[in-house]
């Protein structure tokens, strides 16, 4: 086996491992939505079971922040793996093999980003992410403020901190939305 073939084997092995990691991260990321909805349901059922439990609504923004951030980081790593394959690994293989046709090397990595409906799907996913991880937290805060007319000052400060952190999460989700099309 020549040096070029050995290096190509290493690159192909790297590709396989990256795709495995990407698939695992996709599964984990997608399950975060279900976990979030389940936790919301449990907290809401407790919080709304009696007026003495309304303070439980203040847990929802923290759940939104923690699970939303975890979702976002995994989503970013999924995109980063794709970028690395499209921009770095493909270039390494092109240089090694002398094949300049980028579509022939891991064509799916580029083709699925060129789908006519990709931008619309990414906007829809952005909206779903914002609703799940930001709007639901803000709604919980608003419900708390509506249901508990005069909470102590410390609780109001906590609510403002939660609101600011949710807004920061909203901006981060937007920044990392990966709305790009093509390579």
């Amino acid at each position: 086996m020549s040096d070029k073939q050995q290096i190509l084997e290493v690159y192909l092995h790297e590709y396989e491992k990256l795709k495995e990691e990407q698939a695992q991260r996709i599964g984990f990321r997608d399950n975060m939505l279900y976990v979030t909805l389940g936790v919301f349901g449990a907290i809401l059922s407790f919080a709304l079971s009696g007026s003495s439990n309304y303070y439980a609504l203040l847990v929802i923004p923290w759940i939104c922040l923690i699970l939303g951030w975890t979702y976002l980081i995994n989503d970013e790593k999924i995109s980063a793996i794709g970028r690395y394959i499209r921009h770095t690994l493909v270039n390494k293989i092109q240089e090694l093999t002398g094949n300049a046709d980028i579509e022939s090397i891991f064509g799916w990595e580029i083709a699925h980003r060129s789908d006519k409906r990709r931008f619309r799907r990414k906007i829809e996913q952005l909206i779903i992410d914002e609703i799940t991880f930001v709007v639901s937290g803000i709604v919980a805060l608003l419900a708390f403020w509506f249901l508990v007319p005069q909470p102590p000052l410390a609780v109001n400060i906590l609510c403002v901190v939660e609101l600011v952190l949710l807004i920061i999460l909203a901006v981060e989700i937007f920044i990392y939305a990966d709305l790009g099309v093509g390579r």
Side-chain angles (χ1 to χ4, degrees), residues 91-108:
N91 289 341
K92 287 178 180 180
I93 292 173
Q94 282 178 322
E95 288 174 17
L96 183 68
T97 63
N99 185 347
D101 181 14
I102 194 164
E103 294 297 326
S104 69
I105 301 173
F106 307 132
W108 172 248

Side-chain angles (χ1 to χ4, degrees), residues 39-40 43 55-69 133 137 140-141 157-163 165-166 169:
V39 171
F40 286 174
I43 293 170
Y55 280 82
L57 290 169
L58 298 181
V59 174
I60 291 177
W62 292 110
I63 299 298
C64 291
L65 290 165
I66 293 165
L67 297 181
W69 185 253
F133 297 112
L141 285 172
I157 292 170
L158 173 68
C159 291
V160 169
V161 167
E162 288 178 329
L163 181 61
L165 292 173
L166 287 169
L169 179 62

Side-chain angles (χ1 to χ4, degrees), residues 2 14-15 34 38 40 44-45 68 76 79 114 122 135 160 177 180:
S2 73
E14 179 183 21
Y15 174 75
Y34 304 123
F40 286 174
L44 280 175
S45 68
E76 193 283 325
S79 295
S114 301
K122 293 301 281 183
V135 173
V160 169

Side-chain angles (χ1 to χ4, degrees), residues 7-91:
I7 294 170
L8 183 59
E9 288 295 319
V10 169
Y11 289 157
L12 293 175
H13 185 69
E14 179 183 21
Y15 174 75
E16 289 173 18
K17 291 300 181 185
L18 287 169
K19 292 308 283 184
E20 286 174 19
E21 179 181 345
Q22 194 177 47
Q24 288 173 343
R25 285 185 177 277
I26 288 168
F28 181 79
R29 177 202 61 195
D30 292 352
N31 283 330
M32 293 302 295
L33 291 170
Y34 304 123
V35 168
T36 302
L37 293 174
V39 171
F40 286 174
I43 293 170
L44 280 175
S45 68
F46 174 74
L48 300 177
S49 67
S51 60
S52 63
N53 299 336
Y54 290 156
Y55 280 82
L57 290 169
L58 298 181
V59 174
I60 291 177
W62 292 110
I63 299 298
C64 291
L65 290 165
I66 293 165
L67 297 181
W69 185 253
T70 303
Y71 176 92
L72 180 63
I73 293 304
N74 270 284
D75 191 58
E76 193 283 325
K77 294 300 179 208
I78 292 163
S79 295
I81 290 169
R83 274 191 310 276
Y84 174 80
I85 291 170
R86 288 189 315 277
H87 298 288
T88 304
L89 193 57
V90 165
N91 289 341

